[in-house]
């Protein structure tokens, strides 16, 4: 199997296993903070076992010695899981995943501010379209059953904080941040421990919680390994599948209608990002070797 195919399959696996994330949050009948606690604890323990088996305890220590940006990554990734659960609990799944899809835009802004990277015309046009789409989604929250501006703002925070984590990871490229993932998950669970009553979880809910943690763990590993083999633009395109499939899954399973505003705004956001990444891929495609007399 080629590296290209390997990367596509691993990344696709990661995307497909994260699709039911919102559905699990809807199905687990405990307060949102308890869902976040179990999500962090279960996922953290599973991913930690994988990291220790694949790269050893030294990799975790090396990541923890990555400097201040490594700790920015740690705190940011810890916060995203909590914020995501709260966002899904306060607004529609469609609004959450469409808003979070805007994360590359926030990452581009932070890269410009923190790393001094020039912003291309392509990215500026993408940002304009994405913000128009986000505006339509948030405007429609007052018109759509189950959606709220509070939850939408939490989703914006998820997108921004996740962009902070990715920008911090780029600042410490010499050290892999993959071993930081289980530490971040476990840190989020530790921070929530004083505010939850985990021992009161019923047996019927335990199986859902355990399955939820397993799905997110598999997704985390897939999305960490896949990008090693394929360009980031291809990864970004595959990740957009989650933004399409997650609300459709919840709509099919629970009858949660995303509403017209979310569908229109989400189409603009996802369409703009997909087009932007396709442009990047087309520009990077190697040109065919010249033919004819002068060809080697």
């Amino acid at each position: 199997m080629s590296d290209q195919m390997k990367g596509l399959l691993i990344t696709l696996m990661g995307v497909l296993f994260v699709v039911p994330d919102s559905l699990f949050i809807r199905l687990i009948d405990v307060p949102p903070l308890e869902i976040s606690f179990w999500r962090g604890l279960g996922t953290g323990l599973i991913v930690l076992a994988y990291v220790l088996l694949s790269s050893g305890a030294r990799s975790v220590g090396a990541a923890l010695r990555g400097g201040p940006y490594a700790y920015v990554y740690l705190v940011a990734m810890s916060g995203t899981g909590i914020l995501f659960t709260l966002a899904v609990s306060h607004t529609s799944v469609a609004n959450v995943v469409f808003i979070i899809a805007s994360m590359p835009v926030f990452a581009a802004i932070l890269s410009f501010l923190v790393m001094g990277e020039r912003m291309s015309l392509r990215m500026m046009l993408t940002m304009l379209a994405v913000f128009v789409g986000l505006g339509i989604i948030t405007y429609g929250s007052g018109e759509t059953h189950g959606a709220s501006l509070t939850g939408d703002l939490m989703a914006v925070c998820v997108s921004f904080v996740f962009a902070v984590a990715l920008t911090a990871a780029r600042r410490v490229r010499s050290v892999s941040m993959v071993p930081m993932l289980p530490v971040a998950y476990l840190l989020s669970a530790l921070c929530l421990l004083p505010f939850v009553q985990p021992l009161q979880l019923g047996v019927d809910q335990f199986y859902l919680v355990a399955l939820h943690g397993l799905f997110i763990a598999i997704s985390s590993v897939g999305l960490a390994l896949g990008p090693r083999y394929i360009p980031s633009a291809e990864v970004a395109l595959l990740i957009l599948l989650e933004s399409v499939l997650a609300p459709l899954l919840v709509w099919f399973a629970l009858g949660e209608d995303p509403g017209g505003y979310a569908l229109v705004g989400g189409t603009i956001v996802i369409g703009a990002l997909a087009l932007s990444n396709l442009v990047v891929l087309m520009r990077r495609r190697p040109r065919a070797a010249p033919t004819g007399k002068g060809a080697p």
Side-chain angles (χ1 to χ4, degrees):
M1 184 183 297
S2 67
D3 283 351
Q4 175 75 10
M5 182 58 65
K6 186 187 299 183
L8 287 173
L9 290 176
I10 293 173
T11 306
L12 182 61
M13 178 193 69
V15 170
L16 292 179
F17 270 89
V18 81
V19 167
D21 191 3
S22 303
L23 180 60
F24 276 116
I25 293 173
R26 284 282 189 267
L27 292 175
I28 298 172
D29 189 21
V30 299
L33 289 183
E34 287 197 22
I35 297 176
S36 294
F37 169 82
W38 285 110
R39 186 180 187 270
L41 181 64
T43 305
L45 290 175
I46 295 171
V47 177
L48 181 61
Y50 167 79
V51 168
L52 292 178
L53 288 172
S54 61
S55 52
R58 290 184 179 181
S59 64
V60 179
L64 290 171
R65 293 191 297 272
Y69 283 103
Y71 286 93
V72 170
Y73 176 86
L74 174 64
V75 173
M77 288 302 295
S78 298
T80 54
I82 299 172
L83 287 169
F84 177 78
T85 305
L86 291 173
V88 172
S89 301
H90 285 83
T91 192
S92 70
V93 169
N95 281 25
V96 172
V97 296
F98 290 152
I99 290 171
I100 293 177
S102 66
M103 184 272 299
V105 168
F106 289 108
I109 294 172
L110 288 171
S111 295
F112 172 74
L113 295 175
V114 177
M115 304 178 70
E117 295 183 352
R118 191 177 70 86
M119 200 171 295
S120 66
L121 177 62
R122 172 188 58 83
M123 181 51 69
M124 286 189 283
L125 292 175
T126 302
M127 288 169 54
L128 178 62
V130 165
F131 286 134
V132 169
L134 292 180
I136 293 173
I137 293 170
T138 53
Y139 175 80
S141 290
E143 309 289 333
T144 305
H145 176 71
S148 76
L149 184 59
T150 300
D152 292 351
L153 291 176
M154 289 180 180
V156 172
C157 289
V158 176
S159 186
F160 176 77
V161 173
F162 195 42
V164 169
L166 293 183
T167 304
R170 292 185 63 207
R171 293 285 297 188
V172 285
R173 289 179 180 175
S174 59
V175 180
S176 172
M177 288 293 102
V178 173
M180 274 291 208
L181 280 175
V183 181
Y185 283 124
L186 293 173
L187 177 62
S188 68
L190 182 63
C191 291
L192 290 172
L193 186 58
F195 307 101
V196 299
Q197 296 177 316
L199 297 181
Q200 294 186 4
L201 185 71
V203 176
D204 57 332
Q205 298 295 310
F206 176 79
Y207 293 108
L208 277 175
V209 164
L211 196 60
H212 187 198
L214 178 63
F215 268 59
I216 301 304
I218 295 173
S219 171
S220 299
V221 173
L223 293 176
L225 296 178
R228 296 182 181 182
Y229 304 100
I230 57 176
S232 58
E234 290 189 24
V235 174
L237 284 174
L238 287 172
I239 290 175
L240 288 178
L241 280 175
E242 193 262 342
S243 301
V244 176
L245 296 178
L248 291 178
L249 178 62
V250 175
W251 194 358
F252 174 78
L254 303 178
E256 184 178 300
D257 187 349
Y261 286 102
L263 291 176
V264 172
T267 299
I268 293 173
V269 170
I270 293 172
L273 292 168
L275 180 60
S276 178
N277 285 302
L278 282 172
V279 169
V280 173
L281 285 175
M282 294 299 292
R283 287 176 177 174
R284 291 180 178 177
R285 177 176 293 179
R287 295 181 179 177
T291 58
K293 224 170 183 184

